Amino acid sequence: MNWEMVCERLNATDRWCASVDVAGVEYDSRRVGRGDVFVAMRGEATDGNRYIDAAVAQGAAAVVTDSREAYESLRRTHGGVGAALVERGRRALAEVSSAVMDHPERGLALSAVTGTNGKTTTAFLLETMLRSVGRTCVLIGTIETHVGNEVRVSQHTTPESRDILSLFADGVKAGATEAVMEMSSHALEQERVWGIPVDVAMFTNLTQDHLDYHGTMERYFAAKARLFEGVGAPPPRVAVVNLDDEYGGAIERAAAGCGEVWTYGLGNHFGWVPQFRAEDVVLGAGETSFDWKTPRGTVEMRSSLTGRVNVYNLLAASCAALARGLSLEQIAMAAEELVPVPGRFETVSNGLGITVVVDYAHTDDALRNLIALARELVGSGKVITLFGCGGDRDRTKRPRMGRAAGEGSDLVILTSDNPRSEEPMVIIEEALAGVRETGTTCIVEEDRAGAIEIAIRAARVGDIVLLAGKGHEKVQILKDGTVPFDDVAVAARVLKEIA
């Protein structure tokens, strides 16, 4: 594609249309190849404008920058390189990527899910339902990325627009017609999804998290609401909203510009009655059933997923599947075949008569729901909860997580969970304050492997051990770097040693 054609897509403050052809788009100078457009933009951690010379040295044919100083310098020193000055680098990245890749977003119907908890499970469930009727999908999320039948490693919950569009392009080549994405509040606020049209948007819930970035719950909510308003694209055709959540009504109002708003829930929370309801809910270990009441009829839903939280996840995914054209009967059949998502209430098998569960719960609300589910399943047994709090993240949720763990558990093991640049014991002390308020016995062990062993060895027949916080993660992020760590593997080793 000629650079001048690319410039036509940009709302550039100034531009130099050198007669060059462009082959690709990059925002990381280390990945630039000959003929690429390098988009230099100010980010949260660094400024891409510092790497323009490096990108040109690697063969960049053109540069888009959000810095007047960098633009003028580029024009003086690299006159043969195309140049464009823009106000918003991330928007330009999306627009240039779409043009150069020939608009792959137009070839897929995108369903996107946002919320504090449940995004990953809901996305996996919806993809499985779509695949059950023979549709080829792209899935982008926290645990992994799918392009048709190919599984790739996920680096971020929601990547930069260039990477999203590249995955979409690969999907279109593989015959995909559907895409399912988790959209984080960071990505929505930073406009990493600029210009990408969403057909079906889902809202799961909103509880305190990420205030280290957003500052207030109001700003956190506003970021989530952008999905339903459209981020550089028209509002979604269908909005699917959890009306049982206290923010559900506000999201419903934010979605007023959508073609349709579908509400779901268990019914009559906060004085609102959802259109798509789960009634006569029966919960058991590895078994969930309910009647799904919809404006199009009622169908019995059965699933091997466990717990009330998964009823909500099933409702969100089922509504989205219905919006994407599946019938009630097709959705019910798919629900029976669903399997648990890695790191989401994942049990570690053993012959000791105890239940060991690994779960990603890393907010006080998610931890409270996890413990409530464990209490339902364990009967007269004890609930032993191991958790930690992430470093360089919202400090105000640490005592809240401690209270949530202490209020529902018989024993709490407080440990480390990705301390990053902080001292682990400082984080632990802040969470411990919340546990102490409950009076529940708490054992502190900074080493997570050692803490897992303590938790499992404290269990007796009939007890349940919850290893919360890391879920599917395979590393521990420390001040000095990242080391391999897998809760499931450590728990399996301890269980084998005991056996």
Side-chain angles (χ1 to χ4, degrees):
M1 174 175 283
N2 186 269
W3 169 240
E4 188 168 356
M5 295 175 62
V6 175
C7 283
E8 294 301 320
R9 287 294 306 273
L10 292 171
N11 184 23
T13 305
D14 206 347
R15 67 191 188 190
W16 166 249
C17 291
S19 182
V20 294
D21 290 328
V22 295
V25 183
E26 292 293 351
Y27 58 89
D28 184 336
S29 62
R30 295 166 296 184
R31 301 194 313 202
V32 169
R34 187 159 300 280
D36 286 346
V37 179
F38 175 58
V39 180
M41 57 190 184
R42 300 182 185 92
E44 286 66 47
T46 188
D47 185 351
N49 291 288
R50 295 165 51 194
Y51 305 100
I52 289 176
D53 287 341
V56 172
Q58 292 202 180
V63 174
V64 177
T65 173
D66 57 9
S67 164
R68 166 66 69 176
E69 181 182 359
Y71 176 79
E72 297 295 349
S73 174
L74 178 67
R75 290 288 295 110
R76 287 193 305 270
T77 57
H78 302 290
V81 173
L85 174 64
V86 297
E87 290 187 11
R88 297 175 181 263
R90 273 204 168 94
R91 292 186 181 183
L93 177 65
E95 290 161 355
V96 173
S97 299
S98 176
V100 172
M101 297 180 196
D102 196 23
H103 311 288
E105 72 280 7
R106 298 177 184 175
L108 300 168
L110 173 61
S111 300
V113 55
T114 197
T116 306
N117 303 308
K119 295 189 298 297
T120 298
T121 299
T122 299
F124 264 80
L125 298 184
L126 176 57
E127 186 213 21
T128 302
M129 290 176 177
L130 294 170
R131 286 169 59 94
S132 74
V133 295
R135 299 187 191 177
T136 302
C137 304
V138 174
L139 171 73
I140 302 176
T142 303
I143 296 178
E144 59 193 27
T145 294
H146 301 166
V147 178
N149 293 323
E150 181 186 355
V151 179
R152 303 182 186 180
V153 175
S154 290
Q155 300 298 331
H156 303 282
T157 296
T158 313
E160 293 285 358
S161 58
R162 180 260 174 221
D163 301 325
I164 294 170
L165 291 166
S166 179
L167 290 166
F168 283 3
D170 289 348
V172 170
K173 290 177 185 175
T177 57
E178 304 273 352
V180 181
M181 277 185 65
E182 299 177 47
M183 282 195 183
S184 68
S185 57
H186 293 70
L188 289 161
E189 182 164 306
Q190 294 168 7
E191 299 184 338
R192 291 186 225 155
V193 291
W194 180 262
I196 298 176
V198 176
D199 186 60
V200 180
M202 294 160 277
F203 169 76
T204 58
N205 50 62
L206 192 71
T207 61
Q208 183 175 324
D209 199 13
H210 304 305
L211 296 194
D212 54 301
Y213 177 78
H214 295 290
T216 66
M217 285 298 292
E218 290 74 20
R219 287 182 56 190
Y220 184 30
F221 167 81
K224 296 290 189 187
R226 293 199 69 181
L227 172 58
F228 302 88
E229 299 160 354
V231 182
R237 178 179 62 88
V238 178
V240 175
V241 181
N242 178 7
L243 210 55
D244 286 0
D245 187 80
E246 65 174 305
Y247 286 90
I251 289 289
E252 185 181 18
R253 292 188 290 275
C258 297
E260 298 180 67
V261 180
W262 296 4
T263 58
Y264 70 90
L266 272 65
N268 205 25
H269 284 58
F270 307 104
W272 305 317
V273 179
Q275 302 158 292
F276 295 81
R277 301 185 303 280
E279 296 184 355
D280 299 322
V281 178
V282 177
L283 302 174
E287 182 180 7
T288 295
S289 66
F290 58 88
D291 289 334
W292 187 30
K293 303 277 188 178
T294 85
R296 302 185 188 184
T298 300
V299 66
E300 184 181 14
M301 300 284 283
R302 293 184 175 276
S303 171
S304 62
L305 302 180
T306 300
R308 190 172 301 273
V309 66
N310 276 317
V311 173
Y312 284 101
N313 294 332
L314 275 166
L315 285 172
S318 297
C319 286
L322 191 65
R324 288 299 312 137
L326 274 70
S327 68
L328 295 177
E329 292 72 22
Q330 287 173 325
I331 293 168
M333 289 177 62
E336 292 195 40
E337 303 302 319
L338 297 173
V339 297
V341 177
R344 273 59 177 176
F345 209 83
E346 181 177 353
T347 58
V348 185
S349 60
N350 66 87
L352 302 177
I354 63 176
T355 302
V356 179
V357 173
V358 172
D359 193 89
Y360 191 53
H362 61 285
T363 67
D364 55 298
D365 183 66
L367 198 56
R368 192 171 287 109
N369 288 336
L370 175 65
I371 294 169
L373 171 57
R375 184 63 70 188
E376 287 180 9
L377 300 177
V378 79
S380 59
K382 292 182 178 180
V383 176
I384 300 170
T385 302
L386 175 147
F387 83 102
C389 300
D392 301 335
R393 297 294 186 267
D394 181 10
R395 294 177 59 184
T396 64
K397 76 175 184 180
R398 293 171 185 174
R400 295 164 63 102
M401 289 181 67
R403 281 193 294 274
E407 287 168 355
S409 307
D410 297 290
L411 173 65
V412 173
I413 314 296
L414 188 48
T415 187
S416 182
D417 181 348
N418 295 333
R420 298 181 176 86
S421 71
E422 292 191 63
E423 290 297 330
M425 285 307 301
V426 172
I427 300 172
I428 287 171
E429 285 294 333
E430 292 181 355
L432 185 59
V435 183
R436 285 174 174 152
E437 292 177 15
T438 69
T440 299
T441 301
C442 180
I443 298 172
V444 172
E445 172 53 65
E446 178 183 333
D447 177 68
R448 191 173 180 95
I452 289 173
E453 182 163 1
I454 290 171
I456 292 174
R457 288 188 180 277
R460 299 293 179 266
V461 174
D463 293 348
I464 187 167
V465 178
L466 305 175
L467 308 179
K470 296 186 68 63
H472 64 281
E473 294 179 357
K474 305 300 182 186
V475 296
Q476 181 82 309
I477 307 173
L478 311 173
K479 181 187 297 184
D480 300 325
T482 299
V483 298
F485 195 92
D486 183 345
D487 277 5
V488 174
V490 173
R493 174 182 57 78
V494 173
L495 289 164
K496 183 177 180 180
E497 290 174 357
I498 295 173

